[in-house]
Amino acid sequence: MFLPSPLAVLAPLPLAMLHHRLAHSTAGWGAFRHAFAFALAFFGVHLAWLPISMAAVLGPLGGLLTVLVLPAAALTWAVPLTLTRVAFGPRTLLALPLAWVLLEALRTQGPLAFPWGAPGYALIQTPLAQLASIGGAALLTLLVTGTASVLAGLGGSRPPVLLMGLAVWGAGLVWGREVTPPITPAPRTAVLVQGAIDPRLKAQGRTLNEFQIYLDLTRRALRSGEADLAVWPETASPLPASDPGVLPALRGLGVPLLLGAPGDVPGQARNSAYGVDGEVTGRQDKRVLVPFGERLPFSGVLGGLYTPVLRSLGMAGYTSLTPGRLLNVLPVRDLRAGVSICYESVFGQLSRQAVRAGANLLVVLSNDAWFGQGAGAEQHFQMGRLRAIETRRFLLRAGNDGVSAVIDPWGQVRFRAPRGARGAYRVTFDLSTIRTPFVLYGNWVVWASALALLMAGARLIRNPGISLRPISSQALDTRADHGERCQSTGPLYGR
């Protein structure tokens, strides 16, 4: 997410500068130097909140260690972009948008998955975001990076390509506005409960006082009338919803409930969401855990390194959570909730899987209080908005200290509670059973990009006359002096 406003349509401009530098750099170290410098500057600004937030929670050492995330994130861009430059030479500008799609897909995989900053999220507050219902975040990334390559190749004197790019953007903007309906009243009522409990108090030891706060807030909101659903945030209860110490109180509220609480699997620490309607109707365990926050990646190999670091941070004895393996749509009466627990809301495939399994509503249970009042919580919220567009589902979001909100199926924010305030908010929503192209076909943009790159690479291999080195302006001048006819004056359209 390059710019948190409609001005994000300008996101291709800085990327165009990067693409131009990559295309005209020497393959190898020169390309890596440009890519890494750009990525480090970007993540240094985009993630500036991260070490500040962690220093407030874990102390100066925690903030200092978190700074290492910045060059690590920069490498996840720099290495694939450099390899693209090396592999495709004079066709670098054609290959870069496809490479971006693949590298962003890879950044959602594995124990270090961290898709923050993907170029496609730059468009979330523009009508172009509606394209996500067709091809997800990957299609938006392709649009942004493809435009960057077109702009970077304007020196090739190909006006039709520029006009084609403008036509795509224009059509996308018009279509996005046309498909987004005006906001109309929704027929169902939910209560979003925001406890605003200091996460440092949670870390010191969970108590039933937290649980009582949520009970009181919910009862107060229900005095104004009945509701179809109440939603509590991640880790709202210190005990599993099935525990006899809390289940009778939940039952006594007289309203269907979705809440975050520990898992009830003996011998395992899980971060879970429960559906409760008199009894527990289902449990969804968090499947994608926060790297270094909820799990220690490669702990079997790096255990000796983690031990002294955790001790220095005052976290001796810390153990990773157990990730969930199964998808469970949580049923509460006629609601079928696809629940994402905090970090999971930035992974579009999870919401898509839930909708394919029958979810008619999306719910995010979060605890962004760890982020403090910086930009982290806002970035997290904005990225999650795209899940509503991709699936055309209402999205109810309950956060410990925010962002608690209602997002409609077109990504419009219908309600947003103030950050840090303690309260219970009556909101409206509806259910949907529509299936978008993204829900039906998933990551087709990623697979198409991979196929296109393979075909382009095979063509280079079959035609050894295609140089893999950049075509410099000096070389072109030399060709012209010898009467050679150049078919192209820029690497975007080089043979």
Side-chain angles (χ1 to χ4, degrees):
M1 192 161 40
F2 287 74
L3 295 169
S5 76
L7 291 178
V9 294
L10 301 179
L13 296 180
L15 278 178
M17 296 173 60
L18 171 63
H19 286 198
H20 179 81
R21 286 179 175 271
L22 287 173
H24 290 82
S25 66
T26 57
W29 174 247
F32 177 80
R33 188 161 43 86
H34 289 307
F36 185 76
F38 179 92
L40 186 61
F42 171 76
F43 284 111
V45 174
H46 192 64
L47 299 178
W49 55 269
L50 186 57
I52 296 173
S53 299
M54 291 301 99
V57 175
L58 300 174
L61 178 59
L64 183 61
L65 289 174
T66 310
V67 172
L68 298 176
V69 171
L70 306 181
L75 286 173
T76 65
W77 279 8
V79 172
L81 295 179
T82 300
L83 292 176
T84 303
R85 173 67 186 88
V86 171
F88 290 92
R91 293 184 178 271
T92 293
L93 289 180
L94 285 172
L96 278 174
L98 306 175
W100 273 107
V101 170
L102 293 185
L103 79 86
E104 289 301 340
L106 290 174
R107 290 177 69 219
T108 67
Q109 304 298 314
L112 298 176
F114 187 69
W116 241 257
Y121 284 109
L123 303 179
I124 185 60
Q125 298 199 57
T126 73
L128 291 163
Q130 301 306 318
L131 293 171
S133 66
I134 300 174
L139 183 56
L140 302 185
T141 290
L142 184 63
L143 177 61
V144 171
T145 57
T147 303
S149 276
V150 169
L151 294 175
L154 286 181
S157 302
R158 298 292 181 98
V161 177
L162 177 59
L163 292 176
M164 185 183 303
L166 291 174
V168 169
W169 276 70
L173 287 167
V174 171
W175 180 78
R177 289 185 181 278
E178 287 298 316
V179 300
T180 304
I183 293 178
T184 56
R188 297 172 182 257
T189 301
V191 175
L192 304 182
V193 188
Q194 186 170 290
I197 297 172
D198 190 329
R200 291 169 291 189
L201 296 178
K202 287 176 175 280
Q204 292 171 8
R206 306 299 304 279
T207 71
L208 285 175
N209 290 336
E210 305 169 31
F211 182 70
Q212 191 62 48
I213 289 172
Y214 282 98
L215 287 175
D216 292 342
L217 290 170
T218 306
R219 290 184 183 121
R220 193 178 309 160
L222 293 175
R223 290 174 191 155
S224 302
E226 295 182 352
D228 298 286
L229 181 67
V231 186
W232 294 5
E234 179 186 23
T235 66
S237 171
L239 296 173
S242 57
D243 191 283
V246 300
L247 183 56
L250 297 175
R251 184 184 298 123
L253 291 173
V255 63
L257 188 70
L258 296 171
L259 74 153
D264 53 9
V265 180
Q268 295 183 355
R270 295 179 180 238
N271 186 353
S272 303
Y274 292 84
V276 177
D277 187 13
E279 301 294 336
V280 172
T281 62
R283 189 193 80 231
Q284 174 66 63
D285 299 324
K286 190 172 185 179
R287 290 173 286 167
V288 182
L289 303 178
V290 180
F292 305 105
E294 293 175 312
R295 71 181 301 174
L296 301 176
F298 315 113
S299 56
V301 177
L302 302 177
L305 177 62
Y306 284 130
T307 299
V309 172
L310 291 171
R311 188 182 301 116
S312 300
L313 294 173
M315 299 174 63
Y318 171 91
T319 56
S320 298
L321 297 179
T322 300
R325 299 297 182 192
L326 301 177
L327 164 67
N328 294 308
V329 173
L330 301 186
V332 280
R333 300 184 186 177
D334 63 337
L335 307 180
R336 299 291 182 270
V339 178
S340 296
I341 302 176
C342 200
Y343 189 55
E344 293 181 319
S345 67
V346 301
F347 296 88
Q349 281 302 309
L350 298 183
S351 297
R352 173 180 177 259
Q353 291 168 9
V355 169
R356 288 180 64 85
N360 51 23
L361 174 71
L362 297 183
V363 176
V364 175
L365 311 182
S366 187
N367 182 12
D368 290 337
W370 294 101
F371 292 160
Q373 295 300 312
E378 183 65 25
Q379 291 172 358
H380 187 200
F381 169 65
Q382 296 295 344
M383 293 170 74
R385 284 176 60 189
L386 207 62
R387 309 291 83 84
I389 298 174
E390 289 170 343
T391 61
R392 293 295 187 222
R393 294 294 187 274
F394 266 86
L395 188 152
L396 304 181
R397 193 180 199 277
N400 174 27
D401 77 333
V403 176
S404 297
V406 178
I407 313 299
D408 74 13
W410 296 270
Q412 299 174 112
V413 181
R414 294 206 173 194
F415 168 83
R416 176 172 175 156
R419 281 291 310 277
R422 177 173 292 177
Y425 306 94
R426 296 179 63 88
V427 299
T428 59
F429 72 100
D430 203 358
L431 307 179
S432 172
T433 58
I434 191 174
R435 295 207 166 191
T436 64
F438 175 73
V439 169
L440 292 173
Y441 306 114
N443 280 331
W444 65 269
V445 176
V446 176
W447 293 111
S449 297
L451 179 61
L453 277 179
L454 286 174
M455 293 174 63
R459 184 179 178 186
L460 285 174
I461 293 173
R462 288 197 305 268
N463 189 346
I466 298 178
S467 172
L468 296 183
R469 294 174 297 178
I471 302 176
S472 66
S473 58
Q474 182 179 0
L476 291 172
D477 291 340
T478 302
R479 286 184 183 181
D481 289 341
H482 287 80
E484 295 180 12
R485 182 182 178 185
C486 295
Q487 300 296 324
S488 168
T489 57
L492 176 56
Y493 310 108
R495 290 179 295 168

